[in-house]
Amino acid sequence: MGRDPASGVINEADTGGVMTEMVYGAVPQRDGEPILPKWWRTIDKWAVFGVALLFLVGLLLGLAASPPLAEKNGFQPFHYVQRQMFFGGLAMVAMVLTSMMGPVMVRRLAVIGFIGALVALMLLPVLGTDFGKGAVRWYSLGFASIQPSEFLKPGFVVVAAWMIAASREINGPPGLLMSFCLTLVVVGFLAMQPDFGQAALVLFGWGVMYFVAGAPIFLLLGMAGGVIFAGMIAYANSEHFARRIDGFLSPEVDPTTQLGFATNAIREGGFFGVGVGEGTVKWSLPDAHTDFIIAVAAEEYGLVLVLAIIALYCMIVVRSLFRLMRERDPFIRLAGTGLAAMFGVQAMINMGVAVRLLPAKGMTLPFVSYGGSSLIAGGIAVGMLFAFTRSRPQGEIRDILRGHVR
């Protein structure tokens, strides 16, 4: 038992705290510890290593996929690789700096970023451009372009998680309703671009957080039915959406389309690939370095590299979720789960489109595909996730559960 040095009285509360740390493995607080050693001690090193490997794989695939496009556009052969190294470097810096923040600081950053990205999203119909792709998603800066929806996603997850967590407090605000209304606003503006892929991803992220917060299954099924109904309306009123759905449902794949080139490249790659630099799909696909980068990986390096990429994504998501299971703070659990789920599902959608398991979405493969907005926003999102999954001086969630059982 602990003893008060002034009165000599035994303090059972102090003893309980010490025993909790001994039994449940809480991380001790080290006063005056420099921020960098503290960050390295508390971060999930395997997950950080996984993200770094994904970025290196992206550079490797960029060396194979981007020279044909650079030649077509009159640039040096490795123009896009150099830009990917630059934006990827910024993404890694953003990831590390964000992961060093505490949960409160991350929440403040998310609120500011979300408001700015939402305003930018609203102004896209007036100031944005489509770069000839049929969807107004970007702001052109001349030397680069910005896609607001990429920066909107991490901020939205954290803000929505904050609202949902606040609703569980005594006399708290109606956070569930507020977060749902906010989700509808975001999804509506994304659908106007149109960008149904990002809209579905945002809705999925909110649904995962709502499920973790204890949503009844019948309500989630009702939401799924509403999504299907909205898809039917979009199919009837959007030529862009209908064309992609028709192409997906068609029993025959047009070999001259991007999906046709991608599926053929994956088939040709086999288990070990056709050899480094020997692939041909990069000469046919205009988006070989972005949306269909996995087709280049499958053709030149085979199923082996594709499985390794999938394993890296799985490792990052699963390790993050296991760490979040030990977290006491409802806000941190919800926000971290939403970020991890959105990160993993975006990767799944990108690869699912390439093998024709899903309709074409125009979504990048996180940290592997080329794209400045995607890389930097991905670095911020994963940095937030790592900040939430860092070890903190606390007991585990099972501490609370056992207390209730007793």
Side-chain angles (χ1 to χ4, degrees):
M1 293 186 179
R3 186 180 297 275
D4 191 320
S7 62
V9 176
I10 295 174
N11 191 333
E12 294 186 3
D14 291 343
T15 305
V18 173
M19 289 301 296
T20 298
E21 289 187 0
M22 292 175 62
V23 174
Y24 294 109
V27 177
Q29 182 71 35
R30 302 180 184 178
D31 295 332
E33 184 178 8
I35 186 171
L36 193 58
K38 180 179 179 180
W39 172 81
W40 183 247
R41 178 174 57 84
T42 57
I43 199 75
D44 185 350
K45 302 174 186 62
W46 281 102
V48 174
F49 179 67
V51 171
L53 273 182
L54 285 173
F55 176 54
L56 292 177
V57 168
L59 290 178
L60 176 66
L61 296 177
L63 289 170
S66 63
L69 183 65
E71 179 181 325
K72 178 182 177 181
N73 293 335
F75 297 124
Q76 294 295 320
F78 300 114
H79 170 79
Y80 292 106
V81 178
Q82 293 169 353
R83 288 174 65 87
Q84 188 169 3
M85 290 180 64
F86 173 74
F87 288 120
L90 292 180
M92 295 297 107
V93 171
M95 181 187 74
V96 171
L97 292 179
T98 306
S99 66
M100 288 181 175
M101 298 179 182
V104 175
M105 185 60 69
V106 170
R107 188 171 63 198
R108 291 172 181 169
L109 172 67
V111 171
I112 296 172
F114 173 73
I115 293 173
L118 183 60
V119 171
L121 191 71
M122 293 176 175
L123 294 177
L124 272 177
V126 180
L127 303 176
T129 182
D130 63 354
F131 288 111
K133 296 187 177 183
V136 183
R137 302 176 184 174
W138 300 271
Y139 286 103
S140 177
L141 304 179
F143 61 92
S145 61
I146 297 177
Q147 188 174 354
S149 61
E150 293 287 353
F151 296 92
L152 180 81
K153 291 182 295 185
F156 164 78
V157 168
V158 175
V159 170
W162 186 22
M163 292 178 176
I164 296 173
S167 69
R168 304 178 66 180
E169 298 176 358
I170 299 175
N171 297 323
L176 284 173
L177 178 61
M178 292 167 60
S179 68
F180 180 65
C181 293
L182 185 65
T183 303
L184 292 181
V185 170
V186 172
V187 168
F189 277 104
L190 287 172
M192 287 172 57
Q193 295 182 2
D195 192 346
F196 296 106
Q198 298 284 17
L201 193 59
V202 165
L203 193 59
F204 172 81
W206 181 84
V208 167
M209 291 188 292
Y210 193 21
F211 175 76
V212 172
I217 189 65
F218 291 107
L219 180 59
L220 294 176
L221 291 175
M223 287 177 55
V227 170
I228 294 174
F229 179 71
M232 294 172 63
I233 295 177
Y235 180 83
N237 294 278
S238 173
E239 181 182 350
H240 176 82
F241 184 78
R243 184 170 60 251
R244 292 196 169 189
I245 295 297
D246 289 340
F248 172 69
L249 296 177
S250 174
E252 299 294 332
V253 181
D254 185 350
T256 62
T257 62
Q258 294 206 90
L259 278 176
F261 288 125
T263 52
N264 182 66
I266 294 171
R267 189 184 308 113
E268 292 294 325
F271 197 82
F272 294 106
V274 298
V276 179
E278 299 298 323
T280 59
V281 69
K282 57 195 176 188
W283 297 97
S284 307
L285 280 175
D287 293 329
H289 63 315
T290 54
D291 300 350
F292 290 93
I293 191 73
I294 200 68
V296 177
E299 184 182 32
E300 297 202 0
Y301 297 92
L303 182 63
V304 174
L305 181 61
V306 174
L307 291 178
I309 293 173
I310 294 174
L312 288 174
Y313 284 113
C314 289
M315 180 189 71
I316 295 168
V317 172
V318 171
R319 288 187 63 88
S320 298
L321 292 177
F322 269 107
R323 280 183 163 236
L324 290 166
M325 287 172 62
R326 302 195 298 265
E327 178 59 52
R328 283 183 172 185
D329 191 324
F331 161 69
I332 294 177
R333 283 203 311 272
L334 292 173
T337 301
L339 289 168
M342 193 173 287
F343 175 77
V345 169
Q346 179 170 338
M348 184 180 71
I349 290 175
N350 176 277
M351 291 184 280
V353 168
V355 296
R356 207 167 173 250
L357 289 176
L358 295 169
K361 297 290 185 184
M363 199 172 291
T364 57
L365 190 60
F367 294 105
V368 177
S369 295
Y370 170 84
S373 295
S374 175
L375 282 168
I376 296 175
I380 295 172
V382 172
M384 289 179 175
L385 175 61
F386 289 166
F388 290 139
T389 57
R390 282 173 59 188
S391 302
R392 272 176 285 278
Q394 62 169 10
E396 299 181 355
I397 186 65
R398 61 183 177 181
D399 217 354
I400 301 175
L401 299 177
R402 290 181 178 182
H404 283 306
V405 171
R406 293 170 189 160

